[in-house]
């Protein structure tokens, strides 16, 4: 479904503005659906643009995502950490996998009452094939990525790397209250 447009009267007549554009003008970004290289690039561009407009102005990122590509997600994470603007994240529905990493990396992390967070080890998207040496190299790279993601979660939750790796060894779901208790979120909110 395409988001609706907003009709505004201006001195030049009636203007039709897409809803996302109107919210973007209020410094609100939406991370919804699967995280791909394309959606990650769009999020990074929005973060950088808003920083250039107001280096100290806050940015709110609303997240409702099943996760997706780890490399794209880590690029967004790095951009969130590099911008000078405070970045507030709000979980609206589900923040899973790499989307959970983005959610918990906010300077202020809010979650709606019925939203959930799911963390787990990085997954291989497609079947692995090739020589034994190629498979070994892929496995070694996956373990490095696991360590990277684990360290990020440890940094933002206050848990040790060992505690994080234990929790992420299988899919681990958190309700809103559990996410706050485990350090993935700061507070449950009931209004925006």
């Amino acid at each position: 479904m395409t988001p609706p447009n907003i009709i505004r009267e201006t001195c030049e007549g009636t203007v039709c503005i897409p809803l996302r554009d109107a919210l973007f003008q209020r410094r609100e970004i939406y991370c919804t659906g699967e995280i791909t290289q394309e959606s990650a690039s769009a999020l990074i561009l929005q973060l950088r643009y808003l920083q250039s407009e107001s280096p100290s102005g806050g940015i709110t990122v609303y997240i409702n995502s099943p996760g997706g590509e780890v490399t794209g997600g880590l690029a967004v994470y790095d951009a969130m950490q590099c911008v000078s603007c405070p970045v507030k994240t709000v979980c609206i529905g589900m923040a899973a996998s790499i989307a959970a990493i983005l959610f918990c990396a906010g300077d202020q992390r809010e979650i709606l009452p019925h939203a959930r967070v799911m963390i787990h080890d990085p997954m291989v998207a497609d079947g692995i094939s090739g020589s034994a040496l190629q498979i070994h190299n892929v496995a070694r790279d996956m373990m490095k990525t696991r360590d990277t993601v684990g360290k990020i979660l440890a940094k933002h939750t206050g848990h040790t790397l060992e505690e994080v790796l234990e929790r992420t060894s299988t899919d681990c779901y958190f309700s809103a209250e559990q996410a706050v208790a485990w350090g993935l979120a700061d507070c449950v909110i009931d209004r925006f």
Side-chain angles (χ1 to χ4, degrees):
M1 180 175 154
T2 305
N5 293 321
I6 297 172
I7 309 295
R8 289 209 174 128
E9 294 288 331
T10 69
C11 59
E12 297 175 0
T14 303
V15 178
C16 188
I17 302 170
L19 181 57
R20 277 190 186 248
D21 292 351
L23 294 171
F24 181 70
Q25 290 172 355
R26 292 177 39 186
R27 303 181 66 81
E28 296 180 8
I29 298 174
Y30 289 80
C31 175
T32 56
E34 184 177 353
I35 295 172
T36 63
Q37 292 297 327
E38 185 177 294
S39 65
S41 293
L43 288 167
I44 292 166
L45 287 172
Q46 291 174 79
L47 288 165
R48 293 195 61 221
Y49 175 79
L50 290 174
Q51 176 184 268
S52 72
E53 286 292 298
S54 176
S56 60
I59 298 171
T60 302
V61 180
Y62 292 92
I63 300 174
N64 185 16
S65 172
E69 296 179 17
V70 175
T71 53
L74 289 176
V76 174
Y77 170 82
D78 286 343
M80 287 172 63
Q81 300 303 297
C82 287
V83 295
S84 58
C85 307
V87 178
K88 175 171 76 171
T89 54
V90 181
C91 181
I92 53 169
M94 170 68 85
S97 192
I98 195 66
I101 304 301
L102 299 181
F103 169 63
C104 81
D107 295 309
Q108 181 181 348
R109 306 161 309 166
E110 299 175 348
I111 186 167
L112 292 175
H114 297 102
R116 298 185 309 149
V117 178
M118 189 275 284
I119 57 175
H120 64 180
D121 282 343
M123 311 281 280
V124 176
D126 299 317
I128 299 175
S129 63
S131 70
L133 190 54
Q134 288 170 325
I135 292 171
H136 175 75
N137 288 337
V138 169
R140 187 173 54 221
D141 185 60
M142 287 295 295
M143 293 305 287
K144 286 180 185 175
T145 301
R146 178 180 191 245
D147 191 56
T148 298
V149 169
K151 286 177 181 174
I152 290 170
L153 279 171
K155 172 184 174 183
H156 293 286
T157 63
H159 289 279
T160 66
L161 178 59
E162 293 74 24
E163 291 171 321
V164 168
L165 294 179
E166 183 180 326
R167 290 304 287 263
T168 60
S169 62
T170 60
D171 290 357
C172 188
Y173 290 86
F174 298 85
S175 68
E177 293 81 10
Q178 291 168 333
V180 171
W182 210 71
L184 293 164
D186 295 319
C187 62
V188 179
I189 59 170
D190 59 6
R191 64 190 65 222
F192 293 119

